[in-house]
Amino acid sequence: MRPETPPQLETRTCQAAIRSPELDESIKLFHQATGIGFYEQLPEEPNWTHYLDLTYAQKMRFSLVFDQQAEPHSRHATYPVHTYGAFPGLLNAGGEAPVATHKISAVTVAPSYRRRGILSRQITADLAYAQQAAFPIAALTASEATIYGRYGFEPATYQSRFTLKCAHGVKLRVQVPGRVVDADPQHFGPGYAALAVRALEQTFGSVDSTEFDNGFALGRWDTWETLEKPKNLRFAAYYDDAGQLGGFATYKFG
């Protein structure tokens, strides 16, 4: 049995700034490889325009690590073995103004390339870049949070899911002032944008919305995995007694 050939790794880092056909192809490859790394369904071809637009809107800086010694018949002869993305954002850290934040996303390592220090080298280099770019803090969303503790991260918040049973209506303990209206998302964009800014300013620990978040809230697409348009989505907006928008929700009937 012959020994395994160690990988000869090459890192390519791109900045989604000025659009070009070459950069478009790199972005597409990056998202394809990320989807494979997360075991997700790959999007249909017409939706790739959305991925390109969103990536440029985020001003994403992303890296692809290739194995130059990969077998010709291997997926990694053309696809990267590691993906890593980051983009600028804002965080409400309790001060007078939001703090500039280095948002990390799309971190994957192919199963056969794990435990070789690929992520360690990449995240160390990226955090050094963030420090040089004067970001005071970095943040990421992780399904396996324990991995990142060694790099200085620790849990800040958790995602929760709940089911509200309202077959017989939702009974409130007190009468809520104001009104709830059935909203039209085509005319609700400016109001939602202002609401998102107020939510960031008033909610400790919150981060700013991306173009994807805005489109998701307004029903332009369902999930990041496919960016398909959701079906039968309803919209509701709450206005207080003064007529100011105070909340917004999307929902479906089951």
Side-chain angles (χ1 to χ4, degrees):
M1 184 176 182
R2 68 176 184 174
E4 181 182 0
T5 303
Q8 181 180 336
L9 302 178
E10 177 194 357
T11 301
R12 304 175 194 171
T13 300
C14 305
Q15 179 73 55
I18 301 175
R19 298 192 70 149
S20 69
E22 295 79 13
L23 187 52
D24 283 358
E25 287 302 311
S26 294
I27 292 173
K28 184 174 180 179
L29 181 61
F30 170 77
H31 288 305
Q32 286 175 328
T34 301
I36 292 171
F38 284 129
Y39 311 105
E40 295 170 348
Q41 174 185 349
L42 294 182
E44 298 294 332
E45 190 64 32
N47 290 337
W48 279 111
T49 299
H50 296 317
Y51 281 98
L52 294 174
D53 291 342
L54 291 172
T55 304
Y56 283 107
Q58 289 176 327
K59 300 178 181 178
M60 179 173 278
R61 181 178 185 266
F62 61 96
S63 295
L64 305 157
V65 176
F66 295 88
D67 180 5
Q68 300 301 309
Q69 299 283 54
E71 295 287 347
H73 58 273
S74 164
R75 183 198 302 276
H76 301 299
T78 54
Y79 278 81
V81 302
H82 170 60
T83 63
Y84 188 104
F87 52 95
L90 298 171
L91 168 72
N92 182 332
E96 295 182 358
V99 176
T101 303
H102 187 63
K103 291 179 171 181
I104 300 170
S105 181
V107 179
T108 70
V109 181
S112 56
Y113 288 83
R114 292 173 185 169
R115 300 186 182 280
R116 302 192 186 191
I118 296 176
L119 173 59
S120 293
R121 289 190 293 271
Q122 188 64 48
I123 196 169
T124 300
D126 179 65
L127 292 176
Y129 160 82
Q131 185 179 38
Q132 292 174 359
F135 285 101
I137 194 169
L140 55 82
T141 300
S143 55
E144 297 181 58
T146 55
I147 295 175
Y148 299 96
R150 71 193 73 166
Y151 308 111
F153 291 92
E154 62 181 45
T157 186
Y158 297 88
Q159 184 182 62
S160 299
R161 294 178 180 270
F162 63 90
T163 300
L164 178 65
K165 296 182 180 180
C166 51
H168 303 290
V170 179
K171 297 180 180 180
L172 304 177
R173 292 181 179 273
V174 296
Q175 184 65 35
V176 178
R179 68 191 193 282
V180 176
V181 301
D182 191 1
D184 181 354
Q186 294 185 353
H187 304 289
F188 192 67
Y192 169 77
L195 179 67
V197 171
R198 292 208 313 276
L200 170 65
E201 293 173 344
Q202 298 176 16
T203 309
F204 174 71
S206 65
V207 295
D208 61 326
S209 298
T210 65
E211 283 301 307
F212 167 76
D213 298 325
N214 297 335
F216 177 79
L218 295 173
R220 295 172 190 157
W221 35 70
D222 198 351
T223 65
W224 174 264
E225 288 76 18
T226 64
L227 292 184
E228 295 285 349
K229 187 173 180 62
K231 297 179 180 179
N232 304 319
L233 198 62
R234 307 295 181 93
F235 304 82
Y238 166 73
Y239 294 87
D240 62 21
D241 279 345
Q244 183 180 39
L245 177 65
F248 175 72
T250 59
Y251 60 97
K252 291 182 180 181
F253 283 103

Short mmCIF file of all heavy atoms in Angstrom, two decimals, residues 104-146:
data_model
loop_
_atom_site.label_atom_id
_atom_site.label_comp_id
_atom_site.label_asym_id
_atom_site.label_seq_id
_atom_site.Cartn_x
_atom_site.Cartn_y
_atom_site.Cartn_z
N ILE A 104 -17.53 36.78 9.48
CA ILE A 104 -16.94 35.60 8.86
C ILE A 104 -18.05 34.62 8.49
O ILE A 104 -18.99 34.41 9.27
CB ILE A 104 -15.93 34.94 9.81
CG1 ILE A 104 -14.81 35.93 10.14
CG2 ILE A 104 -15.36 33.67 9.20
CD1 ILE A 104 -13.88 35.46 11.24
N SER A 105 -17.94 34.02 7.31
CA SER A 105 -18.99 33.12 6.85
C SER A 105 -18.40 32.10 5.88
O SER A 105 -17.25 32.21 5.44
CB SER A 105 -20.09 33.95 6.14
OG SER A 105 -21.13 33.12 5.69
N ALA A 106 -19.23 31.09 5.53
CA ALA A 106 -18.92 30.13 4.47
C ALA A 106 -17.60 29.39 4.70
O ALA A 106 -16.81 29.20 3.78
CB ALA A 106 -18.90 30.85 3.11
N VAL A 107 -17.36 28.97 5.94
CA VAL A 107 -16.12 28.25 6.27
C VAL A 107 -16.35 26.75 6.10
O VAL A 107 -17.15 26.16 6.82
CB VAL A 107 -15.67 28.56 7.71
CG1 VAL A 107 -14.39 27.80 8.04
CG2 VAL A 107 -15.46 30.06 7.89
N THR A 108 -15.68 26.14 5.15
CA THR A 108 -15.79 24.70 4.94
C THR A 108 -14.41 24.10 4.69
O THR A 108 -13.53 24.76 4.14
CB THR A 108 -16.69 24.36 3.73
OG1 THR A 108 -16.03 24.73 2.51
CG2 THR A 108 -18.03 25.07 3.81
N VAL A 109 -14.24 22.85 5.09
CA VAL A 109 -13.06 22.05 4.76
C VAL A 109 -13.56 20.68 4.31
O VAL A 109 -14.37 20.06 5.01
CB VAL A 109 -12.11 21.90 5.97
CG1 VAL A 109 -10.89 21.07 5.56
CG2 VAL A 109 -11.67 23.26 6.48
N ALA A 110 -13.12 20.23 3.16
CA ALA A 110 -13.53 18.92 2.66
C ALA A 110 -13.16 17.83 3.66
O ALA A 110 -12.09 17.90 4.29
CB ALA A 110 -12.86 18.66 1.31
N PRO A 111 -14.01 16.82 3.85
CA PRO A 111 -13.78 15.80 4.88
C PRO A 111 -12.39 15.15 4.81
O PRO A 111 -11.76 14.93 5.84
CB PRO A 111 -14.89 14.77 4.61
CG PRO A 111 -15.99 15.58 4.00
CD PRO A 111 -15.31 16.61 3.16
N SER A 112 -11.90 14.85 3.61
CA SER A 112 -10.60 14.16 3.49
C SER A 112 -9.41 15.09 3.73
O SER A 112 -8.27 14.64 3.70
CB SER A 112 -10.49 13.51 2.12
OG SER A 112 -10.68 14.46 1.09
N TYR A 113 -9.67 16.39 3.96
CA TYR A 113 -8.58 17.35 4.17
C TYR A 113 -8.61 17.96 5.57
O TYR A 113 -7.87 18.90 5.85
CB TYR A 113 -8.65 18.46 3.13
CG TYR A 113 -8.24 18.01 1.75
CD1 TYR A 113 -9.14 17.36 0.92
CD2 TYR A 113 -6.94 18.20 1.28
CE1 TYR A 113 -8.76 16.93 -0.34
CE2 TYR A 113 -6.55 17.78 0.02
CZ TYR A 113 -7.48 17.14 -0.79
OH TYR A 113 -7.09 16.71 -2.04
N ARG A 114 -9.45 17.43 6.44
CA ARG A 114 -9.54 17.98 7.79
C ARG A 114 -8.38 17.51 8.65
O ARG A 114 -7.70 16.55 8.33
CB ARG A 114 -10.88 17.59 8.42
CG ARG A 114 -12.06 18.27 7.72
CD ARG A 114 -13.40 17.78 8.20
NE ARG A 114 -14.48 18.39 7.41
CZ ARG A 114 -15.75 18.00 7.45
NH1 ARG A 114 -16.10 17.00 8.25
NH2 ARG A 114 -16.65 18.61 6.71
N ARG A 115 -8.16 18.25 9.76
CA ARG A 115 -7.08 17.97 10.72
C ARG A 115 -5.69 18.08 10.07
O ARG A 115 -4.78 17.33 10.42
CB ARG A 115 -7.27 16.59 11.35
CG ARG A 115 -8.59 16.45 12.10
CD ARG A 115 -8.69 15.14 12.84
NE ARG A 115 -9.96 15.02 13.51
CZ ARG A 115 -10.29 15.57 14.68
NH1 ARG A 115 -9.37 16.31 15.31
NH2 ARG A 115 -11.47 15.41 15.21
N ARG A 116 -5.57 18.98 9.12
CA ARG A 116 -4.27 19.24 8.50
C ARG A 116 -3.84 20.68 8.69
O ARG A 116 -2.90 21.15 8.06
CB ARG A 116 -4.31 18.90 7.01
CG ARG A 116 -4.70 17.45 6.72
CD ARG A 116 -4.45 17.12 5.28
NE ARG A 116 -4.94 15.78 4.93
CZ ARG A 116 -4.67 15.15 3.80
NH1 ARG A 116 -3.90 15.74 2.89
NH2 ARG A 116 -5.15 13.95 3.55
N GLY A 117 -4.57 21.42 9.51
CA GLY A 117 -4.20 22.80 9.81
C GLY A 117 -4.64 23.81 8.77
O GLY A 117 -4.23 24.98 8.83
N ILE A 118 -5.49 23.40 7.82
CA ILE A 118 -5.90 24.31 6.75
C ILE A 118 -6.72 25.46 7.33
O ILE A 118 -6.45 26.65 7.04
CB ILE A 118 -6.70 23.56 5.67
CG1 ILE A 118 -5.81 22.52 4.98
CG2 ILE A 118 -7.26 24.54 4.63
CD1 ILE A 118 -6.54 21.65 3.97
N LEU A 119 -7.72 25.16 8.14
CA LEU A 119 -8.54 26.21 8.73
C LEU A 119 -7.71 27.10 9.66
O LEU A 119 -7.86 28.32 9.66
CB LEU A 119 -9.72 25.60 9.50
CG LEU A 119 -10.56 26.59 10.32
CD1 LEU A 119 -11.14 27.68 9.43
CD2 LEU A 119 -11.66 25.86 11.07
N SER A 120 -6.83 26.49 10.45
CA SER A 120 -6.01 27.28 11.38
C SER A 120 -5.20 28.33 10.65
O SER A 120 -5.14 29.50 11.06
CB SER A 120 -5.09 26.35 12.17
OG SER A 120 -5.83 25.52 13.04
N ARG A 121 -4.57 27.93 9.56
CA ARG A 121 -3.75 28.89 8.79
C ARG A 121 -4.63 29.97 8.18
O ARG A 121 -4.28 31.16 8.19
CB ARG A 121 -2.97 28.15 7.70
CG ARG A 121 -1.84 27.29 8.23
CD ARG A 121 -0.94 26.79 7.11
NE ARG A 121 -1.65 25.85 6.24
CZ ARG A 121 -1.70 24.53 6.45
NH1 ARG A 121 -1.11 24.00 7.51
NH2 ARG A 121 -2.35 23.75 5.61
N GLN A 122 -5.80 29.58 7.67
CA GLN A 122 -6.67 30.54 6.98
C GLN A 122 -7.26 31.55 7.95
O GLN A 122 -7.24 32.76 7.71
CB GLN A 122 -7.79 29.80 6.25
CG GLN A 122 -8.62 30.69 5.34
CD GLN A 122 -7.80 31.27 4.22
OE1 GLN A 122 -7.08 30.54 3.55
NE2 GLN A 122 -7.90 32.57 4.01
N ILE A 123 -7.80 31.08 9.08
CA ILE A 123 -8.46 32.00 10.00
C ILE A 123 -7.43 32.89 10.70
O ILE A 123 -7.70 34.06 10.98
CB ILE A 123 -9.32 31.23 11.02
CG1 ILE A 123 -10.28 32.18 11.72
CG2 ILE A 123 -8.47 30.48 12.04
CD1 ILE A 123 -11.35 31.48 12.54
N THR A 124 -6.23 32.37 10.95
CA THR A 124 -5.18 33.20 11.55
C THR A 124 -4.79 34.33 10.60
O THR A 124 -4.65 35.49 11.02
CB THR A 124 -3.95 32.34 11.88
OG1 THR A 124 -4.32 31.31 12.81
CG2 THR A 124 -2.84 33.19 12.49
N ALA A 125 -4.63 34.00 9.32
CA ALA A 125 -4.28 35.03 8.33
C ALA A 125 -5.41 36.03 8.17
O ALA A 125 -5.18 37.24 8.04
CB ALA A 125 -3.96 34.38 6.99
N ASP A 126 -6.65 35.54 8.19
CA ASP A 126 -7.79 36.45 8.00
C ASP A 126 -7.96 37.37 9.19
O ASP A 126 -8.26 38.57 9.02
CB ASP A 126 -9.07 35.63 7.78
CG ASP A 126 -10.28 36.51 7.61
OD1 ASP A 126 -10.34 37.26 6.62
OD2 ASP A 126 -11.17 36.49 8.49
N LEU A 127 -7.79 36.87 10.41
CA LEU A 127 -7.92 37.74 11.59
C LEU A 127 -6.79 38.76 11.64
O LEU A 127 -6.98 39.89 12.12
CB LEU A 127 -7.93 36.89 12.86
CG LEU A 127 -9.18 36.02 13.05
CD1 LEU A 127 -9.05 35.15 14.30
CD2 LEU A 127 -10.44 36.87 13.12
N ALA A 128 -5.62 38.39 11.12
CA ALA A 128 -4.54 39.37 11.02
C ALA A 128 -4.92 40.47 10.04
O ALA A 128 -4.65 41.66 10.27
CB ALA A 128 -3.25 38.68 10.59
N TYR A 129 -5.54 40.07 8.91
CA TYR A 129 -6.03 41.07 7.94
C TYR A 129 -7.06 41.99 8.60
O TYR A 129 -7.02 43.21 8.42
CB TYR A 129 -6.65 40.37 6.74
CG TYR A 129 -7.58 41.25 5.95
CD1 TYR A 129 -7.08 42.14 5.00
CD2 TYR A 129 -8.96 41.21 6.16
CE1 TYR A 129 -7.94 42.98 4.28
CE2 TYR A 129 -9.81 42.04 5.46
CZ TYR A 129 -9.30 42.93 4.52
OH TYR A 129 -10.15 43.76 3.82
N ALA A 130 -8.00 41.40 9.37
CA ALA A 130 -9.04 42.20 10.01
C ALA A 130 -8.43 43.21 10.99
O ALA A 130 -8.88 44.35 11.09
CB ALA A 130 -10.02 41.29 10.74
N GLN A 131 -7.39 42.78 11.71
CA GLN A 131 -6.71 43.68 12.64
C GLN A 131 -6.04 44.82 11.90
O GLN A 131 -6.14 45.99 12.30
CB GLN A 131 -5.70 42.90 13.46
CG GLN A 131 -5.03 43.71 14.56
CD GLN A 131 -4.06 42.89 15.38
OE1 GLN A 131 -3.36 42.04 14.83
NE2 GLN A 131 -4.01 43.11 16.67
N GLN A 132 -5.38 44.50 10.79
CA GLN A 132 -4.73 45.55 10.00
C GLN A 132 -5.74 46.50 9.38
O GLN A 132 -5.46 47.68 9.19
CB GLN A 132 -3.88 44.90 8.90
CG GLN A 132 -2.68 44.13 9.44
CD GLN A 132 -1.95 43.37 8.35
OE1 GLN A 132 -2.35 43.40 7.18
NE2 GLN A 132 -0.88 42.68 8.72
N ALA A 133 -6.93 45.98 9.08
CA ALA A 133 -7.98 46.82 8.50
C ALA A 133 -8.76 47.59 9.56
O ALA A 133 -9.76 48.24 9.25
CB ALA A 133 -8.94 45.95 7.68
N ALA A 134 -8.32 47.50 10.82
CA ALA A 134 -8.87 48.28 11.94
C ALA A 134 -10.26 47.84 12.36
O ALA A 134 -11.03 48.65 12.89
CB ALA A 134 -8.86 49.77 11.61
N PHE A 135 -10.61 46.57 12.15
CA PHE A 135 -11.85 46.05 12.71
C PHE A 135 -11.62 45.71 14.18
O PHE A 135 -10.75 44.90 14.49
CB PHE A 135 -12.30 44.79 11.96
CG PHE A 135 -12.89 45.05 10.61
CD1 PHE A 135 -12.14 44.85 9.46
CD2 PHE A 135 -14.20 45.49 10.49
CE1 PHE A 135 -12.68 45.09 8.21
CE2 PHE A 135 -14.76 45.73 9.24
CZ PHE A 135 -13.99 45.54 8.10
N PRO A 136 -12.38 46.29 15.11
CA PRO A 136 -12.15 46.00 16.52
C PRO A 136 -12.70 44.65 16.97
O PRO A 136 -12.35 44.16 18.05
CB PRO A 136 -12.89 47.14 17.24
CG PRO A 136 -13.95 47.56 16.28
CD PRO A 136 -13.38 47.35 14.91
N ILE A 137 -13.56 44.04 16.14
CA ILE A 137 -14.18 42.79 16.56
C ILE A 137 -14.50 41.95 15.32
O ILE A 137 -14.72 42.47 14.22
CB ILE A 137 -15.47 43.07 17.36
CG1 ILE A 137 -15.95 41.80 18.09
CG2 ILE A 137 -16.57 43.63 16.48
CD1 ILE A 137 -17.04 42.08 19.11
N ALA A 138 -14.49 40.63 15.50
CA ALA A 138 -14.88 39.69 14.45
C ALA A 138 -16.01 38.83 14.99
O ALA A 138 -16.08 38.54 16.19
CB ALA A 138 -13.70 38.82 14.02
N ALA A 139 -16.91 38.41 14.10
CA ALA A 139 -18.06 37.60 14.50
C ALA A 139 -18.34 36.57 13.43
O ALA A 139 -18.04 36.77 12.24
CB ALA A 139 -19.28 38.49 14.73
N LEU A 140 -18.93 35.45 13.85
CA LEU A 140 -19.31 34.43 12.88
C LEU A 140 -20.49 33.64 13.41
O LEU A 140 -20.79 33.63 14.60
CB LEU A 140 -18.13 33.48 12.58
CG LEU A 140 -17.43 32.76 13.72
CD1 LEU A 140 -18.18 31.51 14.15
CD2 LEU A 140 -16.01 32.37 13.29
N THR A 141 -21.20 33.00 12.48
CA THR A 141 -22.27 32.07 12.83
C THR A 141 -21.73 30.67 12.65
O THR A 141 -21.19 30.35 11.59
CB THR A 141 -23.50 32.28 11.93
OG1 THR A 141 -23.97 33.62 12.10
CG2 THR A 141 -24.61 31.32 12.30
N ALA A 142 -21.86 29.83 13.67
CA ALA A 142 -21.24 28.51 13.63
C ALA A 142 -22.22 27.43 14.05
O ALA A 142 -22.97 27.61 15.02
CB ALA A 142 -20.02 28.47 14.53
N SER A 143 -22.21 26.32 13.32
CA SER A 143 -22.99 25.16 13.74
C SER A 143 -22.21 24.31 14.73
O SER A 143 -22.79 23.55 15.50
CB SER A 143 -23.38 24.32 12.51
OG SER A 143 -22.23 23.98 11.76
N GLU A 144 -20.88 24.42 14.69
CA GLU A 144 -20.02 23.73 15.65
C GLU A 144 -19.17 24.79 16.37
O GLU A 144 -18.03 25.04 16.02
CB GLU A 144 -19.12 22.72 14.94
CG GLU A 144 -19.88 21.61 14.23
CD GLU A 144 -18.95 20.62 13.55
OE1 GLU A 144 -18.10 20.03 14.23
OE2 GLU A 144 -19.07 20.45 12.32
N ALA A 145 -19.75 25.39 17.40
CA ALA A 145 -19.13 26.55 18.04
C ALA A 145 -17.81 26.21 18.71
O ALA A 145 -16.92 27.07 18.83
CB ALA A 145 -20.10 27.16 19.05
N THR A 146 -17.64 24.97 19.17
CA THR A 146 -16.44 24.63 19.93
C THR A 146 -15.17 24.72 19.09
O THR A 146 -14.07 24.87 19.63
CB THR A 146 -16.57 23.20 20.49
OG1 THR A 146 -16.84 22.29 19.42
CG2 THR A 146 -17.70 23.13 21.51
#
